[in-house]
Amino acid sequence: MKYKDIRELSDEDLAKKLEDGRAELFNLRFQMATSQLDNTARVKLVKRDISRVLTEMRAREIAAQKSAK
């Protein structure tokens, strides 16, 4: 998912996306440990999506703090 798309999501959607990403990463790691994972590059993509979501959530948090002052 592109960062541009992530910026357009609501706070609830971001939280859901983060939860889904972490669950998928867990499953991918489990498959990797049991040698069932075919596409190992997917792990990197999921990690990157999680990072993008966390970055946007933090940016919104900082913006909210600045506007509150």
Side-chain angles (χ1 to χ4, degrees):
M1 179 172 244
K2 301 277 185 183
Y3 187 69
K4 179 182 173 185
D5 299 331
I6 291 174
R7 287 176 128 187
E8 297 171 356
L9 296 175
S10 68
D11 292 339
E12 295 82 23
D13 290 338
L14 282 176
K16 178 69 174 150
K17 194 74 159 164
L18 180 62
E19 182 182 325
D20 293 344
R22 286 185 171 164
E24 183 179 358
L25 184 59
F26 174 79
N27 290 331
L28 289 173
R29 285 181 175 159
F30 192 85
Q31 289 176 5
M32 192 181 309
T34 58
S35 300
Q36 295 178 348
L37 185 61
D38 296 330
N39 185 7
T40 57
R42 182 74 182 137
V43 174
K44 184 177 180 180
L45 294 176
V46 172
K47 282 183 178 182
R48 191 174 292 160
D49 284 345
I50 290 170
S51 296
R52 286 178 177 152
V53 169
L54 287 172
T55 300
E56 179 60 23
M57 290 174 82
R58 179 65 179 149
R60 290 181 185 188
E61 183 181 320
I62 291 171
Q65 288 176 352
K66 285 185 179 180
S67 66
K69 288 185 178 180

